[in-house]
Amino acid sequence: KGRLVEKSPDHEGYLTLPEMGLKIKAEGQQIVLVDKLTGEVLLDVTELKEALESEVEKAKEARRQALEEKQRADAAEQLAQAEAQRANAEAQRANAAEQRAQIAFSEGEQKGEQKGEQKKALETARKMLAKGFDLADIAELTDLSIDELATLK
């Protein structure tokens, strides 16, 4: 190893490169490589260069397409995040509206109960006045003021 050894071509004109499993020979301006085991002619330098350039172009195109796909995926993810934020905001608005509706319902219910109690107290006071009860007693029993009872006479 590490020293040059002179080799002679075989009967077809090939030099054998056993370490690489190749046979090599010159044909005109080209160098021909052959797989020693299969006898398959490998690409010559020009074909190899063209194949490599083609593969480089394919790799560049694949990379460009991958980059475009990543950009599309990123844009889709941003849209999905924005949509999720809009959905969350809408859910919060709906919850707030529901809470306001519940409060309004409760307040309406309370006012209705108060009006009903007031109406019942006034009705009871009218009956008591009709039976001749004293205004102070009616005010005490119905929780109505003397002024409110005076409007009933």
Side-chain angles (χ1 to χ4, degrees), residues 6 17 66 89 114 119 126 150:
E6 188 174 324
L17 305 173
Q114 288 171 352
K119 185 177 179 183
R126 278 190 194 96

Side-chain angles (χ1 to χ4, degrees), residues 66-83:
L67 183 59
E68 285 177 2
E69 187 59 33
K70 183 182 182 318
Q71 289 171 342
R72 280 192 293 272
D74 288 348
E77 184 176 341
Q78 288 174 349
L79 285 174
Q81 288 174 352
E83 184 58 33

Side-chain angles (χ1 to χ4, degrees), residues 24-33 43-47:
I24 185 171
K25 82 171 177 178
E27 287 186 353
Q29 296 281 325
Q30 300 293 322
I31 295 177
V32 178
L33 296 173
L43 300 177
D44 67 25
V45 175
T46 304
E47 292 171 329

Side-chain angles (χ1 to χ4, degrees), residues 2-21:
R3 39 178 237 250
L4 293 176
V5 176
E6 188 174 324
K7 295 209 172 203
S8 299
D10 64 12
H11 66 285
E12 296 177 313
Y14 287 100
L15 289 175
T16 302
L17 305 173
E19 295 84 9
M20 299 176 68

